[in-house]
Amino acid sequence: MDPARSSSPNPATLAPLDLHASWARSREFGLRPDDALSDALVSPADLRDRLEANARLLTFSRPVIENLFRQIGCPSSTLLLTDCDGLILSAIGDTGFLDRATRVALCPGAEWSEAAMGTNAIGTALTTRKAVAVEGSQHYLTRNRFLTCVATPIFSPTGGIAGILDISTDARANLSHADALLRTTAECIEHRLIENLGEGFLSLHFHTRPDLLGSPLEGLVLFDEAGRLLASNRAARALLQLHGEFPQGSYPECFTTQWRHLVAWAAFGPLTPFPLRTLHGQTCIARAELLLPRAPHGRRQAKSDEAPGRAEAPPAPDTDPRLGHAGTLVAEWHRNRCAGPLLLCGETGTGKRHLLYQHCRDHGIGMPLLELDGRSLAARAQAGRDELEDALRQTENGLLYLTDVDLLPAEARSRLFEAAGSSHRIVAASRHPLAREAEGNGLDQATLARHGAHIVTLPPLRERTDFAHLVHRFVREACPGRPIRVLPEAIDRLRRYPWPGNISELASRLRLMLALVGDDSTELRPDDIPDELLETAV
């Protein structure tokens, strides 16, 4: 009798059917369940080559993987990251379990494809291109049956699989909650890989649910100047019905809005959401941004640095000291793990969201971040309350950012603020100043003090001391490689406008002015500023 057939698992315990097919493939590879462990590790030199080849994957996955391990909270387990061939690149976890796992080559340098290890979560996820759980006796090789493993693919920005994310633990452990956490973490890694790809002319963020816009679960695509698709994440591929391992296409094959209109919108207001309809009839909320070129190390920068001697030297970066103080307050709040909620106050466009995201980037904070729109929640009554509760469950040991918190009913605000603490990091934003006492549905200082809130207020643009510096910065960003001298008289004229949209309005209007002056202009003069811009000037 064939030993492989005599050791087949009970079909009642083997689900889904993909695992039956995997056992058949394992036999076809010539493996037998009782095979002894071979010398499965690649050489140290080969492992170094693999690590170098996957440097981007490792760099952008490490912070979120470490946070995932803390969230799963499963003792005697290890969290693994592999390359596109199933070769383990990194392993973190319980020391004792890692020692035991090493005895079956569950460690960096070992290949866990089905051809090498038979049915296992890593290899089967690699073959089927979807999340797989393999429990105990479902493993093809007998020596691996002390394990329970869950794995999910990490998809490359341009198609195919970049790697596999796997959690492995003792066969008796319950990993029923790990599948969703692994998938969310994989999507977060995919999001970061696209954002740091260093290519593209325009990035488009979109989703049918407004509350998911700005989160790792949003659809994200990159297009070149001609509207050809360069990169996409799994959410975008699902929303746009892009099929195949390496999806290709163009903007007109995805959306109904004309390409030139999208480019104009991106140039005018990259942070402003707008409706966008897919070719398949779904209405999405979207944000579009024109991308600057990147330096070789991967960070976007203006190319004006490459043309010394021609441009006027910008003023010293005399950033408004209130911005530095705001950053310090956010850092202090983050270090205090038991702190109450963080409230960011400031008019529309003063940079509340930017301050939070910049802090997370600068300090390597990889915890999952979910963003919700308070205005949308308030408008949907019970559905909004249910969505808030769901968001609190999703962001346990994570970070929840809620905009327009002052529009929420008082009961919902209290529920939100009471959740803030060691297991929830709550950041709320308001576009209105605080009231000394409760006034209708607004926020008041007494309520915030009762919940231990940390309050950070960002000044409006018209009060900032670094106005000229911001003008020079946005001009350089809008015209990379083309030095533009901003005349002092132009800055004086711009100062006269109250800027109700603050930083985001200044950036978008400057892009529009520079587009109107033409590609040959080397100066921004007072008469380049349209009169209609200053109709409401004081």
Side-chain angles (χ1 to χ4, degrees):
M1 180 180 294
D2 185 345
R5 293 185 182 276
S6 64
S7 301
S8 295
N10 181 350
T13 66
L14 188 58
L17 294 177
D18 288 324
L19 294 174
H20 286 289
S22 177
W23 271 61
R25 290 192 297 269
S26 300
R27 289 192 291 268
E28 291 171 2
F29 288 129
L31 299 174
R32 294 177 177 271
D34 56 355
D35 282 347
L37 180 66
S38 62
D39 185 10
L41 299 182
V42 299
S43 69
D46 286 342
L47 179 57
R48 284 195 298 271
D49 289 343
R50 294 288 191 105
L51 293 174
E52 183 177 349
N54 291 275
R56 290 186 73 253
L57 176 63
L58 287 162
T59 297
F60 296 116
S61 63
R62 185 173 293 113
V64 288
I65 287 178
E66 291 173 353
N67 183 67
L68 170 64
F69 186 74
R70 291 192 295 270
Q71 284 191 71
I72 289 178
C74 181
S76 301
S77 64
T78 181
L79 193 55
L80 305 165
L81 177 68
T82 83
D83 68 3
C84 60
D85 297 318
L87 185 128
I88 298 175
L89 301 173
S90 70
I92 62 171
D94 176 79
T95 304
F97 186 76
L98 283 175
D99 291 341
R100 188 180 180 192
T102 301
R103 294 199 290 272
V104 292
L106 201 64
C107 58
E111 181 188 332
W112 277 73
S113 66
E114 285 186 333
M117 295 290 185
T119 300
N120 70 90
I122 292 173
T124 306
L126 198 61
T127 301
T128 62
R129 295 173 53 83
K130 59 186 179 183
V132 171
V134 180
E135 303 175 359
S137 62
Q138 293 177 345
H139 285 86
Y140 182 78
L141 298 181
T142 304
R143 64 173 186 264
N144 295 333
R145 292 178 185 170
F146 74 94
L147 296 169
T148 283
C149 309
V150 181
T152 192
I154 300 170
F155 292 105
S156 169
T158 55
I161 291 178
I164 298 291
L165 190 58
D166 170 275
I167 177 77
S168 295
T169 188
D170 188 275
R172 296 165 295 180
N174 180 8
L175 288 181
S176 59
H177 64 302
D179 182 19
L181 287 173
L182 280 176
R183 178 186 171 93
T184 300
T185 302
E187 291 180 324
C188 184
I189 294 170
E190 293 165 7
H191 204 274
R192 299 182 73 182
L193 287 172
I194 293 178
E195 287 186 321
N196 292 274
L197 194 60
E199 299 178 6
F201 167 71
L202 183 146
S203 68
L204 184 63
H205 306 247
F206 64 100
H207 205 280
T208 54
R209 289 177 51 184
D211 57 291
L212 293 183
L213 192 62
S215 79
L217 303 183
E218 69 182 358
L220 175 59
V221 289
L222 296 185
F223 294 104
D224 66 10
E225 290 86 343
R228 288 187 293 267
L229 181 68
L230 298 180
S232 58
N233 66 355
R234 71 172 79 186
R237 295 170 194 176
L239 289 166
L240 299 175
Q241 300 182 29
L242 298 175
H243 304 298
E245 185 174 1
F246 296 92
Q248 297 180 348
S250 63
Y251 177 81
E253 296 172 317
C254 299
F255 299 99
T256 59
T257 302
Q258 292 187 21
W259 171 249
R260 60 186 178 87
H261 291 161
L262 180 72
V263 173
W265 191 280
F268 185 76
L271 299 180
T272 305
F274 58 92
L276 188 66
R277 194 167 180 82
T278 71
L279 207 61
H280 301 285
Q282 289 183 298
T283 299
C284 300
I285 300 299
R287 289 192 184 102
E289 181 180 3
L290 297 181
L291 302 178
L292 297 176
R294 285 183 183 262
H297 54 71
R299 180 172 295 177
R300 287 194 178 96
Q301 67 172 24
K303 292 184 178 180
S304 56
D305 298 338
E306 302 169 4
R310 293 182 55 196
E312 175 193 32
D318 53 340
T319 303
D320 191 306
R322 288 171 292 183
L323 273 295
H325 181 60
T328 300
L329 292 177
V330 173
E332 289 176 354
W333 170 81
H334 184 262
R335 285 194 295 269
N336 184 356
R337 296 299 302 171
C338 295
L342 173 67
L343 178 66
L344 303 178
C345 292
E347 296 177 5
T348 300
T350 48
K352 300 182 292 294
R353 185 177 184 274
H354 174 79
L355 176 65
L356 174 63
Y357 279 69
Q358 186 66 49
H359 172 78
C360 292
R361 287 193 296 269
D362 291 348
H363 293 81
I365 298 170
M367 65 172 59
L369 191 156
L370 178 62
E371 184 174 339
L372 292 180
D373 179 7
R375 183 182 298 274
S376 173
L377 295 181
R380 289 182 286 121
Q382 183 60 49
R385 287 193 289 273
D386 294 342
E387 192 170 327
L388 180 59
E389 289 295 332
D390 182 58
L392 288 171
R393 285 191 292 269
Q394 290 183 52
T395 55
E396 187 170 359
N397 297 316
L399 195 155
L400 174 61
Y401 178 48
L402 184 71
T403 62
D404 289 317
V405 67
D406 49 303
L407 299 182
L408 287 180
E411 178 186 354
R413 285 203 307 272
S414 294
R415 172 71 183 98
L416 179 73
F417 292 159
E418 286 167 1
S422 57
S423 62
H424 283 91
R425 308 295 283 169
I426 306 296
V427 181
S430 173
R431 290 183 279 186
H432 305 288
L434 300 181
R436 293 189 178 276
E437 299 177 354
E439 297 178 1
N441 215 31
L443 293 173
D444 67 279
Q445 295 177 348
T447 300
L448 293 168
R450 188 168 63 251
H451 291 288
H454 291 236
I455 302 170
V456 176
T457 301
L458 298 181
L461 177 60
R462 59 186 171 276
E463 296 178 7
R464 286 181 55 163
T465 61
D466 56 350
F467 183 88
H469 171 66
L470 288 170
V471 171
H472 283 276
R473 191 188 102 194
F474 291 144
V475 168
R476 291 198 307 274
E477 291 177 354
C479 299
R482 180 162 65 97
I484 300 288
R485 181 173 182 266
V486 183
L487 297 185
E489 296 82 1
I491 292 179
D492 291 340
R493 182 167 167 80
L494 290 169
R495 283 186 192 274
R496 293 162 48 195
Y497 182 65
W499 299 106
N502 291 286
I503 305 299
S504 57
E505 184 184 6
L506 175 64
S508 62
R509 298 232 181 183
L510 282 171
R511 279 193 297 271
L512 185 59
M513 292 176 210
L514 293 166
L516 293 174
V517 299
D519 295 338
D520 297 329
S521 177
T522 59
E523 289 184 334
L524 183 65
R525 301 182 296 272
D527 55 1
D528 294 323
I529 302 172
D531 290 337
E532 55 268 25
L533 175 67
L534 304 179
E535 285 179 356
T536 58
V538 295

